[in-house]
Amino acid sequence: MFGWLDHLTDAQRRAVAHEGGPLRILAGAGTGKTTTLTARVAWLLATGALPERLLLLTFTRRAARQMIARTSALMSAAGLDRGAASPAGRVMGGTFHAVAHRTLRRYAGTLGIPEGFSVLDSADAADVIDMVRDEQGHATSTRRRFPRKSLLIDLYSAAVNTGRPLSAVVPEMAPWAEDFVDSISEICRGYVQRKRSAGLIDLDDLLLYWRAAVQDDRLGPRLAGSLDHVLVDEYQDVNEIQVDILAALRRGDPRLTVVGDDAQALYSFRAAEPRHILEFDKVFPGSTTVILETNYRSSQQILDVANAVGADATVGFSAVLRAARTAPGAGPQLVRCADEDTQTDAVCDRILAHREAGIALHEQAVLVRAAHHSALLELELGARRIPYVKYGGLRFVEAAHVKDMLAAFRLADNPSDVVAWFRLLQLLVGVGPATAHRVVAELGLIGSDVTPDPAGVLGAWPRASGHLPDMVRPAAGDLVAALAAHPGESVATHAERLRVAVAPLVEGAYAEAPARLADLDTLVAASTKATRLSDVAADHVLEPPRSTGNLAGPPLIDEDWLVISTVHSAKGLEWDVVHLLHVTDGNIPSDMALGSPSGLEEERRVFYVALTRARNALHLYVPERYHHHPGGRDDQHGWAQPSRFLSDRVVSRCDQVTERGRRPESSDAMPPVDASERVGVALDALWS
């Protein structure tokens, strides 16, 4: 019945079949983390756990769906379905934020928040804090630079997620703004109050309210008692609030499994810290630790370099990786280049050489620490006719029409959503921020700390609409009329009425209207399974698309393509060949992360993650100099220092190659030229 265990290592089997208290699985890169966690879910279900009482927390909902699907396949192969649907399909899985949203919707009344609350994405949250910044008089100050909305929301979020006072966060994140701590604190207080009065919940609030719920003496035991097992993936990426939530959920039941790799903790900018996985036993005493060290991805030569990087670290790197395969691979190559242009030539030469050796372009990846580091390479790839991955269509950040429609969905459930009002009103021709502000103020949504009655907000519309230009009042009236639900109509029908009202505004405000209107249809289709329209909007915030597709244009036919990616985006992926650019100090590690020892150690982990993406071949490129004006006419340049992570221990495990760039044809066959005599004659003429 448990035939799937035969394919696991001894360490994986110990983790899968663990019984009793908390379990920490330290899974090194490429050691079958997902396989182990999936098999553990299947084991628990096969040994009697009720799927409805099992919670699987991941950092993407796609990961949760994939794990549940793989669990179903395991159970089906073992004959455990017994003719019915797999019990794995009833496991509750999702991200921390998605499960928090589900909990808040169910217990909104108990938690003191409106049932139709709106969920803000990061851009909307920044707009709300910008309103408060403006109202407190900081938008018109020209005497000194004052933090703008993007920094303010980052400071607020950092303080919330780390539990540290703002006075400690500002000197680390924005030392130049330290004199404004008191003003920033007032803005943060105003931001919290504005969200409460408007029924708004940002992503941080989802976790804060969930923590408050599970820590409550009455509601907490009810939530914790509904679960027999909690399993958490990517535990190295949790923050303080998420640890508190898990501790409260398991305060009376020790059955908790966490999986992660302290060497792949890359998200300090989200307040995640590797200490949470390293100090797991302090929060959950009596825990068992299983370390997975058998790597199924890379050759031992590549792993030797990665292990050497880990050995230089001051903390962490619990797993020392060993290759499952015995066949030797090519040694990692450290390529020293004269400058950036030489690096570009060296990368392209090796890409094409690997291609001629039978390794397709899409099995190769160029990794960079920051997206702009590949700019020169992209030009050369174009010149050499080497295609590379580049997603077309409208980028998500440009897909304003999607957010317009979702704003209408939010207003349908929460007419107090001041951000949604501002967004939709400015779709109207001739309506700018000042007019929108007057309308919203007339609706009673500005200047009050009390959440207005929804009926009162819509009832004030006839008076508020007087601030709009005459020509747009009919369209605005149609939109407001569509916000109200009709008795007995479905959520999808209500969504369609809103689409009809929003579509003309989108057509008038944006180019490429057909593609955008098709996206509105997609949002209406998404509402067919929703219980309320604000859930459709929240779903978009909790799992935003990376892009929105344009209508199909002329075909781009090519047999293959190269992958270019930042290291962060490459986490969890793998390729036959990896080319890592700019392995120099200031790039790897990034100079922006060197303000603290913890920042330096995170950069070491970024480097480690890049190394462990390669299966068979790894090339590290180290330019010796950088030109100050790459596109200019001068030759000013500076010397670069190889990355401090290239210690003697690391370099000794690499094959070193030096590239000096393209050189002119040899002049050995030319007759000698007596240049000295000619120069002397020319100079003598100057003194006569």
Side-chain angles (χ1 to χ4, degrees):
M1 184 172 69
F2 300 115
W4 69 75
L5 297 178
D6 295 339
H7 304 289
L8 304 180
T9 65
D10 290 342
Q12 289 174 324
R13 280 195 291 270
R14 288 199 307 274
V16 168
H18 171 78
E19 294 183 3
L23 172 65
R24 171 177 58 179
I25 305 172
L26 293 173
T31 58
K33 168 183 68 71
T34 302
T35 297
T36 305
L37 187 57
T38 299
R40 176 144 180 79
V41 175
W43 170 272
L44 292 174
L45 295 176
T47 54
L50 297 176
E52 298 84 358
R53 298 179 61 82
L54 193 153
L55 174 62
L56 174 62
L57 290 168
T58 62
F59 274 78
T60 67
R61 287 196 282 185
R62 179 170 174 263
R65 289 193 296 267
Q66 288 180 335
M67 286 189 189
I68 290 173
R70 290 176 62 174
T71 300
S72 296
L74 283 178
M75 300 192 71
S76 177
L80 296 174
D81 294 349
R82 296 185 176 88
S86 172
R90 304 198 302 276
V91 170
M92 182 165 61
T95 66
F96 275 90
H97 290 93
V99 176
H101 175 256
R102 201 178 311 164
T103 304
L104 266 56
R105 286 291 186 202
R106 182 175 181 182
Y107 296 102
T110 304
L111 297 171
I113 54 180
E115 290 187 0
F117 65 83
S118 301
V119 179
L120 301 176
D121 63 16
S122 56
D124 288 334
D127 286 342
V128 175
I129 211 167
D130 199 37
M131 292 179 195
V132 178
R133 177 183 185 269
D134 187 14
E135 291 167 2
Q136 295 187 5
H138 298 292
T140 57
S141 175
T142 58
R143 295 186 61 189
R144 290 184 63 188
R145 178 170 61 133
F146 191 83
R148 295 182 65 82
K149 64 180 182 179
S150 57
L151 177 57
L152 290 172
I153 200 66
D154 285 346
L155 293 170
Y156 168 86
S157 186
V160 168
N161 284 287
T162 60
R164 301 168 61 211
L166 194 66
S167 58
V169 171
V170 173
E172 287 186 3
M173 293 184 61
W176 63 269
E178 194 168 358
D179 292 344
F180 297 117
V181 167
D182 291 341
S183 297
I184 296 171
S185 296
E186 285 304 309
I187 291 174
C188 290
R189 290 190 185 96
Y191 172 65
V192 172
Q193 188 57 51
R194 174 57 54 85
K195 287 187 296 178
R196 288 178 179 173
S197 65
L200 306 176
I201 298 288
D202 64 21
L203 292 171
D204 296 329
D205 290 331
L206 288 174
L207 298 182
L208 288 174
Y209 276 99
W210 190 18
R211 181 175 67 178
V214 296
Q215 289 181 340
D216 182 74
D217 291 338
R218 292 172 296 174
L219 183 56
R222 179 175 178 179
L223 293 172
S226 67
L227 300 170
D228 290 335
H229 294 273
V230 177
L231 302 96
V232 186
D233 190 19
E234 304 286 4
Y235 192 78
Q236 78 278 353
D237 294 331
V238 298
N239 61 32
E240 194 79 37
I241 300 176
Q242 291 163 330
V243 172
D244 289 345
I245 290 169
L246 293 171
L249 280 176
R250 298 289 81 190
R251 55 185 167 181
D253 189 331
R255 291 175 291 182
L256 170 68
T257 299
V258 305
V259 183
D261 181 9
D262 55 277
Q264 297 189 68
L266 310 183
Y267 297 106
S268 63
F269 60 87
R270 298 180 188 167
E273 298 179 70
R275 68 178 177 86
H276 293 308
I277 192 168
L278 293 172
E279 300 175 1
F280 178 78
D281 54 340
K282 294 182 180 180
V283 180
F284 302 98
S287 62
T288 299
T289 297
V290 176
I291 301 179
L292 307 183
E293 297 180 307
T294 302
N295 177 283
Y296 297 95
R297 174 185 302 153
S298 306
S299 67
Q300 189 60 53
Q301 289 90 331
I302 292 172
L303 297 182
D304 286 343
V305 175
N307 288 334
V309 170
D312 290 335
T314 59
V315 66
F317 290 87
S318 306
V320 178
L321 302 177
R322 299 186 303 271
R325 54 169 142 154
T326 56
Q333 196 176 65
L334 182 64
V335 186
R336 300 184 186 276
C337 306
D339 53 21
E340 289 178 276
D341 291 333
T342 307
Q343 174 183 250
T344 296
D345 287 334
V347 173
C348 291
D349 290 347
R350 283 164 175 77
I351 288 171
L352 292 176
H354 282 299
R355 179 176 178 272
E356 290 303 315
I359 300 175
L361 292 178
H362 66 267
E363 286 296 345
Q364 301 186 54
V366 174
L367 302 186
V368 290
R369 176 62 181 86
H372 65 274
H373 287 175
S374 64
L376 288 178
L377 175 64
E378 291 177 41
L379 294 175
E380 183 64 16
L381 291 173
R384 297 204 191 193
R385 302 294 189 267
I386 302 174
Y388 58 91
V389 172
K390 187 174 184 179
Y391 294 99
L394 299 168
R395 289 186 299 158
F396 174 65
V397 294
E398 297 171 345
H401 60 291
V402 172
K403 297 191 69 174
D404 296 334
M405 185 68 174
L406 295 175
F409 283 6
R410 283 160 43 187
L411 281 178
D413 283 346
N414 179 20
S416 300
D417 189 334
V418 63
V419 179
W421 277 112
F422 266 102
R423 180 168 204 97
L424 289 176
L425 287 170
Q426 292 182 73
L427 274 180
L428 300 168
V429 177
V431 176
T435 301
H437 190 279
R438 288 193 292 270
V439 174
V440 171
E442 196 72 57
L443 293 174
L445 301 178
I446 293 179
S448 174
D449 293 338
V450 180
T451 303
D453 175 65
V457 173
L458 296 181
W461 175 255
R463 184 173 66 253
S465 63
H467 295 285
L468 297 174
D470 292 342
M471 63 179 179
V472 300
R473 286 181 192 170
D478 291 342
L479 177 59
V480 172
L483 292 176
H486 293 170
E489 77 174 345
S490 66
V491 173
T493 301
H494 192 185
E496 175 58 25
R497 287 198 295 110
L498 284 169
R499 187 201 66 79
V500 171
V502 171
L505 305 182
V506 168
E507 287 182 294
Y510 304 110
E512 302 186 60
R516 297 178 189 268
L517 294 180
D519 287 338
L520 302 192
D521 292 334
T522 301
L523 292 174
V524 172
S527 70
T528 57
K529 296 181 180 180
T531 56
R532 59 174 69 235
L533 287 173
S534 54
D535 281 347
V536 180
D539 190 68
H540 197 75
V541 173
L542 297 172
E543 194 174 24
R546 291 290 181 182
S547 63
T548 177
N550 206 338
L551 296 180
L556 298 176
I557 302 173
D558 212 309
E559 64 180 48
D560 204 359
W561 58 90
L562 179 72
V563 177
I564 299 178
S565 173
T566 63
V567 178
H568 281 81
S569 296
K571 188 170 178 282
L573 304 177
E574 60 184 76
W575 293 271
D576 275 347
V577 180
V578 166
H579 306 264
L580 181 60
L581 305 191
H582 300 292
V583 189
T584 55
D585 242 47
N587 294 314
I588 299 175
S590 169
D591 54 359
M592 300 297 290
L594 300 182
S596 66
S598 61
L600 176 62
E601 288 307 308
E602 178 160 318
E603 288 296 300
R604 191 189 309 276
R605 296 191 292 270
V606 171
F607 185 44
Y608 175 89
V609 166
L611 302 179
T612 53
R613 300 310 94 198
R615 287 193 286 257
N616 299 313
L618 173 65
H619 303 283
L620 310 178
Y621 300 87
V622 184
E624 293 179 354
R625 71 183 76 198
Y626 286 93
H627 292 279
H628 297 168
H629 309 109
R633 299 176 62 182
D634 60 65
D635 198 34
Q636 296 182 32
H637 65 272
W639 290 106
Q641 293 291 338
S643 171
R644 66 190 71 186
F645 300 145
L646 293 175
S647 64
D648 292 342
R649 188 193 332 239
V650 174
V651 171
S652 67
R653 289 161 172 79
C654 298
D655 298 330
Q656 298 190 58
V657 178
T658 299
E659 295 278 355
R660 289 300 170 195
R662 305 294 187 220
R663 300 187 180 188
E665 293 290 333
S666 174
S667 59
D668 292 344
M670 296 179 62
V673 177
D674 190 355
S676 297
E677 180 179 350
R678 293 192 179 191
V679 171
V681 171
L683 290 175
D684 285 344
L686 297 176
W687 321 135
S688 59

